[in-house]
Amino acid sequence: MTKDEFYMGKALHEAKIAYNVGEIPIGAIIVFEKKVIASAYNLRETLPCATAHAEVLAIEKACRALSRWRLSGCTLYVTVEPCSMCAGAIVNSRLDRLVYGCDDPKGGAVHSLFCIVNNPSLNHQVSVTSGIREEECSQLMKDFFRQRRQ
């Protein structure tokens, strides 16, 4: 198992918690110096708050953990391709790296619909690795929406 697969497993654990509480099953963790400093899952329905996406919540926790807003030296692992709001937060928090599981063809802003995190017009670009444990991440989303439709 690679380092990325290992950490994606931790993000998947967060996504499964979201699934079990009725939230869209997206989980995120942030790693700094080989240590998980933040973990989160979607809480939009629970809070209720439109910005309570796993990535944003994890970024907020990581900023508090490091007592700084610049998350240079950190990697964000998230089970699904981030949306435009989250991609903007990733750029603005100066994360070095983003690793995600499966694409989001309807809302993804890293590869699918937009390429925000690597836009040369912005003052920061993020290294991206995608497709890590892709089938598990995708299947969790499919199972959730299949259950919701029933």
Side-chain angles (χ1 to χ4, degrees), residues 1-9 75 77 97 99 129 132-133:
M1 179 178 285
T2 69
K3 171 186 72 165
D4 285 346
E5 290 169 338
F6 172 78
Y7 287 123
M8 187 59 71
T75 299
Y77 291 84
R97 187 165 178 249
V99 179
T129 303
I132 303 299
R133 297 180 72 165

Side-chain angles (χ1 to χ4, degrees), residues 5 23 40 45 50-52 55 63 65 73 78 90 96 101 114 124 147:
E5 290 169 338
E23 294 280 354
E45 302 298 332
T51 61
E55 301 95 321
C63 289
V78 61
I90 289 164
D96 284 352
F114 308 105
H124 180 74
Q147 181 185 44

